[in-house]
Amino acid sequence: MAQTPATTTKATPLTAIELYCRQEADTASLAKHLAASFEHFLTKQPDSHLNISLEGDLGAGKTTFARYLIQALGHDGKVKSPTYTLCEPYPLQLKEQAITVHHFDLYRMRDPLEWQEAGFAEHFDVPGICLIEWPEKAEGTLPAFDIQIQLSAGTDENDRTIKINSVSSSGASALQEIKP
């Protein structure tokens, strides 16, 4: 399937959600609501896949948000930061459907094609979710995103502004059930 490469330019969102999280518990709660909406989408459309970018400055909470989201989707163990491995897979069971969440952290990538050379491109075609931190490091070599999540740190270490934009019809469908 041919896909348009993802870019960090902002397309007009089909769905736009912006929330201010005062405490880490608020961030965890938002991730839980997102996970429920994603689970609804993925189980209603078997074999579907979502590409989600996690954007924000260093320390904005991308990895923390990914951890809460992956755990809310049903992973019981520790969620490791893929900073040095580039990708950590999390096989999950959603009702009667097996999916995998692939959590990428491209911060340490030296070359935009590094993730492709490692064989990670195939992860974008399997049922589940690809969460990509630092997508700009891939300089447009990633498949198109369905959802962009932008995190901004506030003045307190637990303050976050989180903007969630769907930029595809799949992304809009996946956010349809969101009830933060």
Side-chain angles (χ1 to χ4, degrees):
M1 170 187 345
Q3 293 184 332
T4 306
T7 63
T8 55
T9 59
K10 305 301 177 228
T12 302
L14 303 173
T15 305
I17 300 166
E18 183 171 346
L19 296 166
Y20 177 70
C21 299
R22 294 183 190 278
Q23 302 173 17
E24 194 167 331
D26 296 338
T27 302
S29 178
L30 173 59
K32 184 177 179 180
H33 290 293
L34 263 182
S37 191
F38 292 168
E39 182 173 352
H40 185 263
F41 170 78
L42 292 167
T43 56
K44 282 200 149 246
Q45 297 185 39
D47 300 324
S48 55
H49 181 88
L50 292 170
N51 292 331
I52 302 170
S53 70
L54 293 171
E55 303 169 11
D57 293 334
L58 193 62
K62 298 178 294 296
T63 300
T64 299
F65 187 83
R67 181 180 74 238
Y68 286 131
L69 183 63
I70 293 165
Q71 289 172 335
L73 284 165
H75 179 70
D76 290 329
K78 182 178 178 182
V79 174
K80 299 181 255 175
S81 173
T83 300
Y84 293 100
T85 59
L86 292 182
C87 179
E88 288 290 336
Y90 296 93
L92 302 171
Q93 189 71 31
L94 302 180
K95 298 186 179 168
E96 296 175 15
Q97 181 182 355
I99 68 156
T100 301
V101 174
H102 290 93
H103 179 201
F104 292 87
D105 184 335
L106 306 183
Y107 181 74
R108 298 204 186 287
M109 261 184 31
R110 294 176 307 280
D111 182 277
L113 298 176
E114 203 172 319
W115 75 272
Q116 286 178 324
E117 292 168 357
F120 294 140
E122 66 191 38
H123 299 322
F124 289 80
D125 293 325
V126 297
I129 298 172
C130 283
L131 290 172
I132 303 99
E133 294 184 47
W134 300 99
E136 63 275 14
K137 296 280 191 167
E139 294 181 9
T141 62
L142 295 169
F145 292 114
D146 299 299
I147 297 172
Q148 294 172 321
I149 300 176
Q150 300 165 315
L151 294 98
S152 301
T155 53
D156 182 56
E157 76 175 270
N158 293 317
D159 285 354
R160 298 283 176 272
T161 299
I162 302 174
K163 297 177 185 178
I164 304 167
N165 296 317
S166 65
V167 289
S168 75
S169 58
S170 290
S173 293
L175 293 177
Q176 211 165 17
E177 298 293 317
I178 188 75
K179 296 174 183 94

